[in-house]
Structures are given as C-alpha cells and as structure tokens.
Amino acid sequence: MMRLLQAVGQNSLATVAGLGDFAMFASRAVAAAAATRQLGRRWISAVHEQGVRCVPVITIVGLFAGLVLGLQGYYVLARFGAAGTLGIFVSLTLTRELAPVLAALMIVGQAGSAIAAEIGIHRNTEQIDALITMGIDPLGYLVTPRLLAALIVFPVLTVAFTLVGLAGGYLSGSVLLGLDGGVYWSGVHSAVRIADVRECLLKAFVFGVITIAICCHSGFTTHRRTGVSGSHAVSVSTTRAVVLASIATLAADYLITCFLV
Amino acid sequence: MMGASLPPILEVKGLRKQFGNHVVLASVNLVVPRGSIVSVLGRSGTGKSVLLKCLAGLLMPDDGEVRFENGLLDGFRRRCSYLFQGNALFDSLTALENVALPLQQTTRLGRREIAQAARDALRSLGLEKFANHFPAQMSGGMQKRLALARSLVTRPALVLFDEPTAGLDPPARNAVFEMIVQYRQEFDFTAVVVTHDVPEALIASDRVALLEEGRIYFEGTPAEFTALDDCIVRSFGENSVTLRASLDK
C-alpha cells in the first residue's frame, strides 16, 4: 500500500514538474520572438512544413469524414423523416467538433511527429549545443517560428477541412443517395452561425499552439529520456509527442466545449 | 611557440563539476595565454570534454570561476567558438548556409556581406567548390574543415576544439592539427584543444595540460612535458613514442 502511495506521489510530482517545465519552455519560446533574427523567413518555412505538406492529408481525411457523415446522417435522419436536415447535421458536426479535432490530429500525425523527430535529432547530434555556442537562442531559432506558424496553419487547414467535408456530405447525401442539393446547401447556410465559426477557429487556434508546443518540447528534451539514447530516444520522443498532443487536443476540446456550449 | 608569459585570454580557477555523486572535475586551474594553442590531454573519462563544455557555458560548473579577458564574460559568447567532436553541422543546410548561419543570427550584416564572408571562409579552408553541397555529401575531413569554417567566420578570439581528430585516420589527424596551426596564424585566435592524440598535440601545441583525477596534473610546454620524470606523464610520453613508431612504420 505504501509503495502504491509512494508511486502515485512520485508520478504526481513528476507530472507537476513536467507541466511547469513545459509552461516555462512555451513562454520562453514566445518571448524569444522579440530577439530572433530572420523570423519571417523561418516562419514561412514552418508554414510550408506544417501547412502545405499537410494539405493532401487534410483534403483526403476531410472528404472521407464528410462522405461518412453524409451516409450515416442520411440513414439515421431518414428513420425519423428528417433527411432534409442532413445539411444542418453535417455542417454543425464538422464546424463545431470534427473539423478542428480531426484536422489537429492529422497535422500532429504529419507535421508534429516530423517536428519532434527533427528537433530530437538536432539535440542528439549536438546541433542545439552548437546554436548555443554560436550565441543563437535555440528556442527562438527552432521553436518560435513553428509556434507562430501554428497560429495561422491550424485555423486555415481547419476551414479547408470543413469545406471539403461539406462537399463530401453533399456527394454522399445528394449525389449518391438522392437528397435534393438545394435542400442540403440551404440547411448548411441556415444552420451555421458566426458563433459556430468562432468556436471552430478558437479550437483550431488553441489546438495549434498546444500541439506544436508539445511536439517541439518533446523533441527538445530528447536527451532527458531515461533508459534510452540515440535513435531510440528520438523514436520515443516522436511517439510521446504524437500521443501527448492527441490527448491534449481531446482534453482541450472538451474544456473549450464546456465553456462555450 | 608561445609561452605562459603572454597575458591570459582565459583563466580557470577551482572549477568543480560533479554528476550525482561522481566528481568529474574536482578543482581545475588552467591559464590559457592569448594567441597560444593549449592542448588538454587525459585518458578517456577524465572529464576533458566536461571541462570544455563548462568553459563554453554548455554545462554549469558547481563551483569555481572562468574569467575571459580579465573577467569580461559579457562578450564571451560572441568571441568564443566551439568545434564539436561530431562537427554538429546542420544537415538540412548547405555548406554555405551552415557557415552563414552565425552571421545571419548574431550580426546586423546585410545578405550580400554575409554571403561574401561565408564564401571567404569557405575559400580559406579550400571548400569554395562545395558551397552548395550538404554536409552528408562531404567526406569526414571536409566536414571537419566546414565546421572550422563555421567556427571561424565570426572571427572569434578563442576556439575550443573538442576531440577534433576523433575517428580520423593518422594522415587526417595530422591534417587537422596542421589546419589548427595554420589558421591560428591566419585568423589570429587562441585555441584550447581537448585530445587523445599525444604525438600530434605535443608537436602542434604551445602548452600542454594533463587532466588526471579531476585536476590539472601537469601544465607546461611540450618540451617540459616530455622531459618530466613522472610515471603518469611518462605513460603518455611512452604512448606517444609507441604511436610515433607505429606511424613511422
């Protein structure tokens, strides 16, 4: 019993210390923006890394999410004689919930894992130490541009996900199952309010900052992984980044929804 | 050869560093005269690289002090370069971009001036034809020269070399020490070289320090080092002779 309590206590302390370390890391990265040279160029590169490279996966997943929503929604709503509300169902589900969450998870899988691995390799090969000895702030050089890129990439890709998803819902609901296209799009138009779009963008914005900060932090602290080193430590950091960022996305989604509903 | 009479650029007093209960550096005292090449010798695991990382500020010492140019540590980062054992080159940047990086990030020079300075540094080290190559496309010796070019492009007063000859064959080791001596004259820097390579270090250095059990066991000129009748120093000297003989063969 004592051992169990001891283990719980130690893990709790480690978790609190880890959260404190993460908060310090993220705040120092934000503060470094003021002193980082050529931030614009690094930011453009980070937008390409997170944004442009994720467009295919966002398009494909958005399309299939919309297709499935249209299909499931049509048959469920048809049971209650409400198939005409498919546009409302698809648009609100995507805008308020699925688009920000799925887009964030996809970006984490595609770009977040790459960021954690790249920074982890920088750490392993002493490139971060090299930056320090050159008088360059490694947070400003490696992390700040990526955090700033997330502020624009996540909302833009979430909007793209929503639009492609709506098209997917139209394809399965109207083109394949025969619902009138005008009914579908008028449902979309009437259902989505500015508050829904605001919630969608707020979620995307928050998920972007949290997930990219987690991925950068995980890579940056690769040398602290206990029991592993070298390429194994990089792989552990990458896995950890994706898992933690995914959990954080869903937890933040719940909290934001609690406050906004 | 330069002696200890020159004014010191770096002074280390009572430097102590331990990891957990393991004391790596007990109390290190070292004086580096300006313009000299000082080699820090020692067996594996005696804390040579830890000492260098403490000097560069990558590790915080537990005790002691490091004084740069009579205590002016403010400009230390800008005036000190570090050559890593594994070179620590950015593999996603070309040779030119690697060399330009410290200028881009730490100076207010224009793009053209930075490119020119980086090209000049590459030319000085015979790498101008490889400006657009990535580090992975270069040989080990070229990567070492590229890392040195990056270290020297900011015209540092002090360059710290961490095992610059690790993993290189004997001719390449000689070439690295030749490079340090040659560019010390050309770029006018002071060098602290941590190395296992006793024969090369004794030939190329102005002063030698032997790190043993967390302290500087010996500090003096290479001639004093080889002349000293001491079992620990002699063991290094004998290794040197053995290595020289095998190199001669």
Side-chain angles (χ1 to χ4, degrees), chain A:
Chain A
M1 188 64 186
M2 280 302 289
R3 276 187 190 169
L4 180 69
L5 283 173
Q6 198 176 14
V8 170
Q10 279 174 347
N11 281 328
S12 304
L13 285 173
T15 304
V16 171
L19 284 172
D21 183 57
F22 173 71
M24 285 293 291
F25 173 86
S27 52
R28 279 177 52 213
V30 171
T36 303
R37 302 258 172 89
Q38 298 194 327
L39 189 58
R41 194 188 291 180
R42 302 275 308 154
W43 178 80
I44 290 168
S45 167
V47 167
H48 181 262
E49 176 188 46
Q50 290 172 33
V52 179
R53 286 186 190 165
C54 289
V55 166
V57 72
I58 288 292
T59 309
I60 292 166
V61 174
L63 182 67
F64 280 107
L67 283 168
V68 169
L69 273 180
L71 200 62
Q72 290 276 20
Y74 182 85
Y75 285 116
V76 170
L77 292 170
R79 273 194 230 164
F80 304 100
T85 60
L86 182 67
I88 299 170
F89 169 74
V90 173
S91 60
L92 288 183
T93 308
L94 278 172
T95 312
R96 297 178 65 157
E97 202 55 52
L98 277 191
V101 171
L102 285 182
L105 294 179
M106 289 304 110
I107 301 170
V108 165
Q110 169 95 15
S113 56
I115 289 170
E118 190 179 328
I119 297 179
I121 290 168
H122 286 328
R123 173 62 78 185
N124 261 2
T125 53
E126 295 184 307
Q127 291 173 40
I128 290 176
D129 286 343
L131 287 173
I132 295 169
T133 60
M134 285 188 269
I136 303 168
D137 181 358
L139 288 179
Y141 186 74
L142 296 171
V143 180
T144 307
R146 287 172 163 130
L147 275 181
L148 294 179
L151 297 181
I152 185 110
V153 165
F154 276 68
V156 167
L157 287 184
T158 299
V159 169
F161 189 103
T162 309
L163 296 176
V164 174
L166 288 174
Y170 170 76
L171 273 178
S172 60
S174 293
V175 177
L176 298 177
L177 298 172
L179 178 72
D180 184 74
V183 172
Y184 177 84
W185 288 115
S186 72
V188 171
H189 186 257
S190 65
V192 180
R193 294 166 303 160
I194 195 73
D196 300 318
V197 178
R198 205 184 300 139
E199 182 181 339
C200 174
L201 293 178
L202 175 70
K203 283 183 176 180
F205 184 83
V206 172
F207 296 165
V209 173
I210 293 176
T211 56
I212 295 301
I214 287 173
C215 293
C216 290
H217 181 259
S218 193
F220 208 84
T221 53
T222 294
H223 60 307
R224 291 192 210 153
R225 304 279 161 263
T226 46
V228 289
S229 61
S231 54
H232 193 190
V234 175
S235 95
V236 169
S237 287
T238 308
T239 309
R240 186 174 179 273
V242 173
V243 170
L244 287 181
S246 302
I247 293 170
T249 300
L250 295 173
D253 181 44
Y254 175 73
L255 287 175
I256 294 170
T257 307
C258 280
F259 282 109
L260 294 182
V261 164

Side-chain angles (χ1 to χ4, degrees), chain B residues 212-233:
Chain B
E212 182 71 18
E213 293 183 347
R215 294 170 196 277
I216 297 294
Y217 185 80
F218 167 88
E219 189 186 359
T221 64
E224 289 166 348
F225 182 84
T226 45
L228 198 70
D229 186 23
D230 180 277
C231 59
I232 293 174
V233 173

Side-chain angles (χ1 to χ4, degrees), chain B residues 36-220:
Chain B
S36 63
I37 297 177
V38 175
S39 287
V40 179
L41 307 173
R43 290 175 295 178
S44 295
T46 48
K48 302 187 297 295
S49 292
V50 172
L51 169 64
L52 216 56
K53 285 184 174 167
C54 285
L55 297 184
L58 292 173
L59 289 174
M60 284 300 291
D62 298 323
D63 199 7
E65 63 174 12
V66 179
R67 292 171 70 85
F68 177 70
E69 292 188 325
N70 298 320
L72 300 173
L73 276 171
D74 294 346
F76 182 63
R77 266 289 147 64
R78 273 180 279 121
R79 304 203 58 211
C80 172
S81 276
Y82 194 109
L83 196 79
F84 287 82
Q85 189 173 340
N87 301 322
L89 293 164
F90 277 80
D91 40 19
S92 57
L93 301 181
T94 63
L96 187 71
E97 289 167 341
N98 262 290
V99 177
L101 182 65
L103 295 176
Q104 287 169 347
Q105 296 293 320
T106 61
T107 69
R108 296 200 176 276
L109 293 173
R111 196 180 291 179
R112 282 185 184 173
E113 291 165 293
I114 289 173
Q116 190 57 49
R119 284 190 187 282
D120 288 346
L122 286 176
R123 192 177 304 114
S124 296
L125 286 129
L127 292 170
E128 69 271 29
K129 287 179 185 169
F130 302 94
N132 295 319
H133 283 57
F134 288 96
Q137 297 170 309
M138 304 167 94
S139 69
M142 286 161 68
Q143 286 183 19
K144 192 65 74 183
R145 275 188 285 156
L146 177 58
L148 186 59
R150 188 177 69 180
S151 302
L152 299 180
V153 75
T154 51
R155 299 277 168 173
L158 177 69
V159 184
L160 307 174
F161 294 85
D162 188 5
E163 302 276 9
T165 55
L168 299 179
D169 56 27
R173 290 207 297 264
N174 282 345
V176 167
F177 274 99
E178 276 174 29
M179 191 169 74
I180 294 171
V181 173
Q182 180 189 339
Y183 294 114
R184 188 270 304 262
Q185 288 162 356
E186 192 177 328
F187 287 86
D188 190 27
F189 59 82
T190 306
V192 177
V193 185
V194 155
T195 183
H196 285 110
D197 295 318
V198 180
E200 290 88 344
L202 290 179
I203 292 164
S205 309
D206 301 306
R207 296 189 68 76
V208 173
L210 177 62
L211 192 63
E212 182 71 18
E213 293 183 347
R215 294 170 196 277
I216 297 294
Y217 185 80
F218 167 88
E219 189 186 359

